[in-house]
Amino acid sequence: MRSDRLKALKSGSSIDFWGNDKPKCPHCGDDFDIADNEAWHLYSEDGPHAVECPSCDREFQVSSLASWTFSTDEQEYDDAQ
């Protein structure tokens, strides 16, 4: 086992790895760009998801949390009715 396993997570603050727009690798600390890595599966509700960091080639788990909002303020209507 390599000694750098989870090095960034262990040496930093865990809050830095929570609630990010891009998953952060817990091994090297680099951001994992979903679009660049075509990791669209991270948007599914199934999880956690395993991904491999392109910077350090280590695998890590990503959990996702989705939130939806709905608007009905733009409606087509006819004033004559």
Side-chain angles (χ1 to χ4, degrees):
M1 184 180 298
R2 292 169 31 182
S3 63
D4 59 348
R5 179 168 159 61
L6 305 175
K7 180 179 180 180
L9 179 61
K10 290 176 183 176
S11 66
S13 173
S14 63
I15 195 73
D16 294 336
F17 294 85
W18 181 86
N20 296 308
D21 292 335
K22 296 178 183 177
K24 185 178 290 293
C25 177
H27 303 293
C28 70
D30 284 355
D31 286 341
F32 178 88
D33 190 282
I34 295 168
D36 288 350
N37 292 289
E38 297 185 11
W40 308 116
H41 68 281
L42 295 179
Y43 290 112
S44 94
E45 293 180 32
D46 307 350
H49 309 279
V51 297
E52 185 174 300
C53 178
S55 298
C56 69
D57 297 322
R58 301 290 308 262
E59 187 175 287
F60 62 96
Q61 297 291 313
V62 176
S63 295
S64 58
L65 175 64
S67 174
W68 289 270
T69 58
F70 301 93
S71 300
T72 58
D73 60 323
E74 293 185 23
Q75 302 287 319
E76 291 184 31
Y77 57 92
D78 184 358
D79 286 335
Q81 291 182 1

